[in-house]
Amino acid sequence: MRISRLKNLKLLISDPSDIFYFTGFYPQFQAFLLIDRKPVLFLCEECRSKIEKHGLEKLKEWVSGEEVGIDEKNLAVEWLKKLEIKPWPASQLIKKLRMVKEPEEVEKIKRAVRVTKEILEEIEIKGREIDVEWQIRQKLAEKRALPAFQPIVASGPNSRIIHHRPEKRKIRKGDVVILDLGARIDFYCSDITRTLGGDRELRERVLDIQGRIIDMLEPGRQIKEIDREYERLLGRKPWHSWGHGIGIDVHEPLGDTILEGMVLTVEPGIYQRTGCRFEDVVWIRKKGARVL
Amino acid sequence: MRISRLKNLKLLISDPSDIFYFTGFYPQFQAFLLIDRKPVLFLCEECRSKIEKHGLEKLKEWVSGEEVGIDEKNLAVEWLKKLEIKPWPASQLIKKLRMVKEPEEVEKIKRAVRVTKEILEEIEIKGREIDVEWQIRQKLAEKRALPAFQPIVASGPNSRIIHHRPEKRKIRKGDVVILDLGARIDFYCSDITRTLGGDRELRERVLDIQGRIIDMLEPGRQIKEIDREYERLLGRKPWHSWGHGIGIDVHEPLGDTILEGMVLTVEPGIYQRTGCRFEDVVWIRKKGARVL
């Protein structure tokens, strides 16, 4: 059991993705999972206000005055006061378990990747950026997948903007187009980027950097070492990091070291007159990274 | 200007919906709007970690050691420590401005309501609950609307569960089906519920209660008074509240008093052997509520 790996600690888990990880239930409203001798889930079954009125009293009885590990990156300030706990920061500890994926988690990410790649093959680049965005959203719904994040469709000069939001710009023949999208299936995410058109040499250079980083990804490798190599390959400070963990959340922390069983994205990018980025999802095996 | 109504206060705004309300920009990553003599938006343009490294130092310089109103229902615990502020709770104050809608906000909600009603007319009740859910999600994408929340499709005995999540239950002829869905267009939400089939008397009773509550909704009316009347009409403690504010968020607070210009939903429900709920969005005018 996942929770048993946290035993002998009193933890208050508040991030819905963490609660899903430990319980298999994804809360839509405020919920708390108290991990102590036995885990208890405090649920708001009806509406946000109900947990404050009912569940809160019980939860407070159990934790008030106690030293409790909290997810300081997620827990809202008001709960510290309401629950009267002595908090200690446990975000890293809580997230750490999620870094290494179990085989059934990898299977779900694979399905999300497969659907995303299908959409990338089917998509027609025509009309305005937002038209392409809606084409992506329609295809996701047709394939019974949720968007893992707002799809990026960045054309022409907009391709330099890393988290560009599709706008009414008409895509012209010969424009560079960056498509960055992900499906979420069974609560697990994918995140893939393709750059269409533009300077061929630039595309090859970015793909080469991506390949070199993927080659470095083996268990035991330090993240800092990859950061340094990425900076060296680019010949400058990166515009954004070379990748991120992925799973129940589209962005998950990576920790300090690559571990067997991690799933992450590799997404180097170069942004000049136009931008270029390629992103794939990889799974860390004993001998190195396998592109999903 | 909306922000000018908050002048002479030092406030740190962290809820993306609030930031959108004050700036017209909806941040996808952690962002802070500092309202002081002049408002400053601290944006994370690239990734979550960047604001911590760069924007944070500037923001900290400005607020460290100061008394700052925070959104205690939203701000994560870690920021209190990182920014070294003396916080005072300002959630209510910040949300209050959003309660009364401007005409262009009402127009956007109207569009979201229109699309939702179109979908409710087009939808075919067939297959399993999740099939109907995906039908709704597809129609939303076709109409270029986002789902305001996970659509509820609750059939047969599931209709008793207020926030039921569609499951693999096959919908049978003669089943009660509750559909509760909303579109989000231009960042504004709708939220409509219809009950199909089931006991006709029960349906008429719920609709009657809905009409009576709508009749009560006029500027100056106390929320508590409506709560009491709702309980009286049901003849028992309600399973859930009779309605909620709606706008940029699908659930917005209502405050103590009905005010001209508010937009809210009215959603009485009765849950017996099967459930029954009707929900509409209303706009408060000088003379009373207008159903959108």
Side-chain angles (χ1 to χ4, degrees):
Chain A
M1 256 294 278
R2 287 163 173 173
I3 285 177
S4 64
R5 290 154 70 193
L6 286 172
K7 71 182 164 198
N8 299 326
L9 286 171
K10 196 165 201 149
L11 295 176
L12 188 67
I13 300 201
S14 49
D15 177 358
S17 298
D18 287 331
I19 292 176
F20 172 77
Y21 182 75
F22 289 114
T23 68
F25 174 82
Y26 197 98
Q28 285 173 295
F29 296 91
Q30 178 75 63
F32 291 108
L33 177 64
L34 180 67
I35 294 184
D36 200 4
R37 258 141 294 178
K38 57 177 186 184
V40 180
L41 181 60
F42 290 86
L43 268 192
C44 164
E45 278 191 31
E46 295 176 21
C47 64
R48 192 176 289 265
S49 61
K50 281 291 166 66
I51 198 174
E52 301 194 17
K53 285 182 196 140
H54 305 294
L56 177 66
E57 282 150 38
K58 200 83 204 143
L59 180 58
K60 198 173 145 184
E61 254 176 54
W62 292 12
V63 297
S64 174
E66 302 259 346
E67 297 200 350
V68 182
I70 61 158
D71 182 355
E72 74 279 3
K73 291 188 184 298
N74 174 282
L75 189 73
V77 168
E78 68 166 345
W79 291 103
L80 275 196
K81 206 175 158 191
K82 281 190 181 172
L83 296 174
E84 298 172 0
I85 46 180
K86 293 177 193 157
W88 54 274
S91 283
Q92 255 196 308
L93 178 87
I94 295 168
K95 293 284 183 287
K96 212 162 182 177
L97 282 191
R98 284 173 51 190
M99 284 182 189
V100 170
K101 266 66 181 178
E102 290 157 22
E104 62 266 33
E105 294 186 277
V106 179
E107 281 312 308
K108 287 177 183 172
I109 298 171
K110 269 188 192 167
R111 280 173 54 207
V113 165
R114 194 161 55 232
V115 163
T116 310
K117 287 187 172 172
E118 277 172 29
I119 292 174
L120 279 163
E121 289 203 355
E122 293 168 13
I123 210 146
E124 276 187 89
I125 305 296
K126 61 173 189 187
R128 300 164 300 174
E129 289 176 352
I130 48 165
D131 298 324
V132 178
E133 180 193 352
W134 283 108
Q135 217 191 112
I136 294 168
R137 289 191 184 271
Q138 270 194 55
K139 284 187 192 292
L140 282 164
E142 280 162 22
K143 292 173 194 290
R144 301 199 164 198
L146 300 176
F149 52 91
Q150 184 182 4
I152 295 174
V153 181
S155 66
N158 289 341
S159 64
R160 284 177 307 196
I161 305 165
I162 293 143
H163 284 118
H164 175 67
R165 292 200 186 165
E167 52 182 46
K168 287 181 180 167
R169 183 181 187 278
K170 177 107 181 60
I171 303 171
R172 296 198 205 94
K173 223 183 137 117
D175 273 347
V176 182
V177 180
I178 295 184
L179 299 173
D180 186 346
L181 57 132
R184 192 175 200 217
I185 295 183
D186 256 1
F187 297 103
Y188 281 82
C189 296
S190 63
D191 185 0
I192 311 248
T193 306
R194 294 289 178 260
T195 301
L196 314 173
D199 185 63
R200 195 176 146 179
E201 258 177 64
L202 182 63
R203 269 209 321 275
E204 276 167 11
R205 191 165 157 228
V206 175
L207 281 168
D208 179 60
I209 294 175
Q210 196 198 30
R212 283 166 189 263
I213 290 173
I214 292 173
D215 287 344
M216 287 181 81
L217 298 174
E218 51 186 20
R221 178 77 72 181
Q222 296 300 298
I223 298 292
K224 271 187 189 159
E225 215 183 315
I226 310 169
D227 289 346
R228 267 197 306 271
E229 176 63 7
Y230 181 42
E231 191 168 330
R232 196 191 66 77
L233 288 166
L234 287 177
R236 58 154 281 160
K237 275 228 164 298
W239 292 263
H240 55 76
S241 61
W242 54 265
H244 55 81
I246 189 165
I248 302 168
D249 293 322
V250 70
H251 288 153
E252 295 190 359
L254 276 180
D256 302 321
T257 315
I258 297 293
L259 300 171
E260 188 181 346
M262 275 186 167
V263 178
L264 48 141
T265 78
V266 181
E267 55 162 341
I270 294 180
Y271 308 87
Q272 296 170 337
R273 204 172 45 80
T274 56
C276 181
R277 182 170 69 252
F278 283 90
E279 181 174 30
D280 281 285
V281 179
V282 304
W283 180 31
I284 309 298
R285 312 305 300 131
K286 201 169 279 175
K287 297 268 173 88
R290 187 180 302 168
V291 177
L292 297 185
Chain B
M1 256 294 275
R2 287 163 173 174
I3 286 177
S4 64
R5 290 154 71 193
L6 286 171
K7 71 181 164 201
N8 300 325
L9 287 171
K10 196 164 202 152
L11 295 176
L12 188 67
I13 300 200
S14 50
D15 176 359
S17 297
D18 287 332
I19 291 176
F20 172 75
Y21 182 75
F22 289 115
T23 67
F25 174 82
Y26 198 98
Q28 284 174 295
F29 297 91
Q30 178 75 62
F32 291 108
L33 177 65
L34 180 66
I35 295 184
D36 200 4
R37 258 142 294 178
K38 60 177 185 183
V40 180
L41 182 59
F42 289 86
L43 268 191
C44 164
E45 277 189 36
E46 293 176 24
C47 63
R48 193 175 288 266
S49 61
K50 282 291 165 67
I51 198 175
E52 302 193 17
K53 286 183 198 139
H54 305 293
L56 178 66
E57 282 150 39
K58 199 81 201 145
L59 181 57
K60 197 173 146 184
E61 253 176 54
W62 291 14
V63 297
S64 173
E66 301 258 345
E67 298 201 349
V68 181
I70 60 158
D71 182 355
E72 73 280 3
K73 290 186 184 298
N74 175 282
L75 189 73
V77 169
E78 69 166 344
W79 292 103
L80 275 195
K81 205 175 159 189
K82 281 191 182 171
L83 297 173
E84 297 171 1
I85 47 177
K86 295 178 191 155
W88 54 273
S91 283
Q92 255 196 310
L93 179 87
I94 295 168
K95 292 284 182 287
K96 213 162 182 176
L97 282 190
R98 283 172 51 189
M99 285 182 190
V100 169
K101 267 65 182 178
E102 290 158 22
E104 61 267 32
E105 296 186 276
V106 178
E107 281 313 308
K108 287 177 183 171
I109 298 170
K110 269 188 192 166
R111 279 174 53 207
V113 166
R114 196 161 53 233
V115 163
T116 310
K117 287 187 173 172
E118 277 171 28
I119 293 174
L120 279 163
E121 289 203 357
E122 292 168 13
I123 209 147
E124 274 187 275
I125 306 296
K126 61 172 188 188
R128 298 165 301 173
E129 289 176 353
I130 49 164
D131 298 325
V132 178
E133 182 195 347
W134 282 109
Q135 216 191 112
I136 293 168
R137 290 192 184 272
Q138 270 195 54
K139 284 187 191 293
L140 282 164
E142 280 162 22
K143 292 173 193 291
R144 302 199 163 198
L146 300 175
F149 52 91
Q150 185 183 4
I152 295 173
V153 181
S155 67
N158 289 340
S159 63
R160 283 178 308 197
I161 305 164
I162 293 143
H163 284 118
H164 175 66
R165 292 198 186 167
E167 52 181 46
K168 287 180 181 168
R169 183 181 186 278
K170 176 105 181 64
I171 303 172
R172 297 196 204 95
K173 222 182 138 118
D175 272 348
V176 182
V177 180
I178 295 184
L179 300 172
D180 186 345
L181 58 130
R184 193 175 198 217
I185 296 182
D186 255 2
F187 297 102
Y188 281 83
C189 297
S190 63
D191 184 0
I192 310 244
T193 307
R194 295 289 178 259
T195 301
L196 313 172
D199 186 63
R200 192 174 150 181
E201 257 176 64
L202 181 64
R203 271 209 321 274
E204 275 167 13
R205 194 169 153 225
V206 175
L207 282 168
D208 179 60
I209 294 174
Q210 196 198 29
R212 282 165 191 264
I213 290 173
I214 292 173
D215 286 345
M216 287 180 81
L217 298 174
E218 51 185 20
R221 178 77 72 182
Q222 296 301 300
I223 299 290
K224 272 188 189 158
E225 215 183 316
I226 309 169
D227 290 346
R228 267 198 305 271
E229 177 62 7
Y230 181 42
E231 190 167 331
R232 197 191 66 78
L233 288 166
L234 288 177
R236 59 154 279 160
K237 276 227 165 298
W239 292 263
H240 54 77
S241 62
W242 54 266
H244 55 80
I246 189 166
I248 303 168
D249 293 323
V250 70
H251 287 153
E252 295 190 0
L254 275 179
D256 303 321
T257 314
I258 297 291
L259 301 170
E260 189 181 345
M262 275 184 167
V263 177
L264 47 142
T265 79
V266 181
E267 56 162 340
I270 294 179
Y271 308 87
Q272 296 170 338
R273 203 171 46 80
T274 57
C276 180
R277 182 170 69 251
F278 283 91
E279 180 174 31
D280 283 284
V281 180
V282 303
W283 180 32
I284 310 299
R285 311 305 300 132
K286 202 169 278 173
K287 296 270 174 84
R290 188 181 301 170
V291 177
L292 297 184

